[in-house]
Amino acid sequence: AAVHRLVNACTCDKTSLFLLISSATTRNKPAQVRPWLLENIDYISPEFRTKDGSLNIDPRKTVFVGGVPRPTTAEELASVLSAEFGPVAYVGIDIDPDLKYPKGAARVAFKSHQGYHNAIKGKFVRIPHVDSNKKEVEVKPYVLDGQQCDECQGKKCDGRSAPYFCGDMQCLQYYCVTCWDDMHYTGTAVRAKHCPLVRLGDQTKAMNIVPHHVIPPSASGLSMNLERQIDSILFPPSAPVTTIVPSLRF
C-alpha cells in the first residue's frame, strides 16, 4: 500500500517517475523513483520447468552478467541475450537479501553449449536501458563451487574439487592443480597465457598468476589446504572482501 501511495504521488515524465522533494536549501527538486516488481527477478523458459515445479537447467551453461541496469527485468535480459547469442533457458536477477532490490548483476543459463560459448566469446553485450539508448554490460563464465577436474575426473587429485576454472575459449573447463600445469605448460606456449578463475565461497577472482605457483613448495598440506592458502593470497587480512558472484539459486 505504501508503494502505491508513493507512485501515485509522483509525476510521470514519459516512462519515468519523479517525486518532488523540498529542503531548507532546495525546493521541488525531482528525485527519480524506480518501482521494482519481485516477479521480475526470474525468467524461466517454459520447457525447462518440470511437472513438479523444479528447474531442469544445466548450471554448466551459465554465465555471469555484470553491470546490468537495475530497472532491467529478467525477461528483458533474456530477450536481449537470446537475440545476441542464442536461446536462454533461465535468467536470475541478483537482489539485495534485505531490500529485495536489484544489485546490478544476473546469472544466465543458455539452452545449448553453443549459446554459452557465443556469450563467453562475445564478452560484452549492449542492452536497452530506460535512462539511455544503450548500455554495454560484461559477460563472464559463472564459476561453480565443488566441481571435479574435467581433465582427470579426480584421478590426479584424489577426487577433490578442482580449484581452477579456465575461461579461455580453448579450455572452458575446471582443472585440478596438476592438470592445470599439464594442460597449460606442456606442448604449446599459447595456453601458458591463460588466467585461472578461482572460486572462494561467494567470491570469484581472475588471477594474472596461478596461485599455487606462488605458494612455497614447502608449505605443509598443499593439496588439502590449497583453497585456504589461495584465500590468504587473494584476500590478505587488510584487504576488503567484496561479493563478486552470488550463489546460484537453482
Side-chain angles (χ1 to χ4, degrees), residues 3 27 32 52 76 153 181 246 248:
V3 174
R27 183 171 179 80
Q32 188 171 6
D52 62 0
E76 289 171 344
Q153 303 300 315
D181 287 347
L248 278 171

Side-chain angles (χ1 to χ4, degrees), residues 15 58 81 121 125 144 147 163 173 176 180 183 187 200 210 240:
T15 59
D58 184 359
L81 295 183
K121 188 176 181 179
V125 63
L144 298 164
Q147 297 298 295
Q173 63 180 31
C176 66
W180 179 276
M183 297 303 297
L200 298 169
V210 183

Side-chain angles (χ1 to χ4, degrees), residues 63-68 106 119 123-125 135-140:
V63 298
F64 172 77
V65 184
V68 178
K123 294 185 179 180
F124 295 94
V125 63
K135 179 178 175 64
E136 192 173 66
V137 300
E138 187 175 9
V139 179
K140 300 178 181 178

Side-chain angles (χ1 to χ4, degrees), residues 140-227:
K140 300 178 181 178
Y142 187 90
V143 180
L144 298 164
D145 199 11
Q147 297 298 295
Q148 196 173 61
C149 176
D150 291 317
E151 198 64 35
C152 71
Q153 303 300 315
K155 296 178 181 178
K156 296 181 180 179
C157 57
D158 297 329
R160 289 188 291 272
S161 300
Y164 303 138
F165 179 83
C166 184
D168 191 275
M169 290 300 298
Q170 277 188 294
C171 299
L172 286 182
Q173 63 180 31
Y174 293 85
Y175 291 103
C176 66
V177 170
T178 301
C179 287
W180 179 276
D181 287 347
D182 290 346
M183 297 303 297
H184 288 82
Y185 304 109
T186 57
T188 175
V190 176
R191 291 195 180 190
K193 299 179 182 179
H194 295 182
C195 298
L197 296 176
V198 178
R199 176 72 180 266
L200 298 169
D202 285 341
Q203 315 297 317
T204 295
K205 182 75 173 180
M207 302 295 294
N208 292 324
I209 56 175
V210 183
H212 72 269
H213 288 178
V214 297
I215 295 175
S218 60
S220 60
L222 175 60
S223 297
M224 294 298 292
N225 298 311
L226 178 62
E227 183 170 316

Side-chain angles (χ1 to χ4, degrees), residues 16-249:
S16 300
L17 296 175
F18 293 92
L19 183 67
L20 300 180
I21 298 178
S22 298
S23 67
T25 58
T26 306
R27 183 171 179 80
N28 291 334
K29 181 178 180 179
Q32 188 171 6
V33 176
R34 291 174 173 172
W36 174 255
L37 296 176
L38 293 182
E39 64 188 37
N40 290 329
I41 292 173
D42 297 299
Y43 164 82
I44 305 167
S45 184
E47 65 266 33
F48 285 86
R49 188 185 290 276
T50 61
K51 293 182 180 180
D52 62 0
S54 60
L55 305 182
N56 183 25
I57 294 171
D58 184 359
R60 294 292 294 264
K61 301 173 187 172
T62 304
V63 298
F64 172 77
V65 184
V68 178
R70 285 177 171 79
T72 305
T73 68
E75 186 172 0
E76 289 171 344
L77 188 57
S79 176
V80 172
L81 295 183
S82 292
E84 186 74 18
F85 303 123
V88 166
Y90 171 84
V91 174
I93 302 292
D94 295 314
I95 59 173
D96 183 280
D98 298 318
L99 302 178
K100 303 296 187 287
Y101 197 77
K103 296 166 63 177
R107 288 147 295 109
V108 180
F110 288 89
K111 293 183 180 181
S112 67
H113 283 292
Q114 185 61 52
Y116 170 71
H117 291 166
N118 290 342
I120 298 298
K121 188 176 181 179
K123 294 185 179 180
F124 295 94
V125 63
R126 301 179 81 75
I127 63 175
H129 184 212
V130 294
D131 292 336
S132 61
N133 293 329
K134 289 184 177 180
K135 179 178 175 64
E136 192 173 66
V137 300
E138 187 175 9
V139 179
K140 300 178 181 178
Y142 187 90
V143 180
L144 298 164
D145 199 11
Q147 297 298 295
Q148 196 173 61
C149 176
D150 291 317
E151 198 64 35
C152 71
Q153 303 300 315
K155 296 178 181 178
K156 296 181 180 179
C157 57
D158 297 329
R160 289 188 291 272
S161 300
Y164 303 138
F165 179 83
C166 184
D168 191 275
M169 290 300 298
Q170 277 188 294
C171 299
L172 286 182
Q173 63 180 31
Y174 293 85
Y175 291 103
C176 66
V177 170
T178 301
C179 287
W180 179 276
D181 287 347
D182 290 346
M183 297 303 297
H184 288 82
Y185 304 109
T186 57
T188 175
V190 176
R191 291 195 180 190
K193 299 179 182 179
H194 295 182
C195 298
L197 296 176
V198 178
R199 176 72 180 266
L200 298 169
D202 285 341
Q203 315 297 317
T204 295
K205 182 75 173 180
M207 302 295 294
N208 292 324
I209 56 175
V210 183
H212 72 269
H213 288 178
V214 297
I215 295 175
S218 60
S220 60
L222 175 60
S223 297
M224 294 298 292
N225 298 311
L226 178 62
E227 183 170 316
R228 186 177 302 170
Q229 294 178 59
I230 293 173
D231 194 6
S232 67
I233 294 172
L234 296 180
F235 306 112
S238 60
V241 178
T242 57
T243 299
I244 300 174
V245 180
S247 300
L248 278 171
R249 287 183 291 158

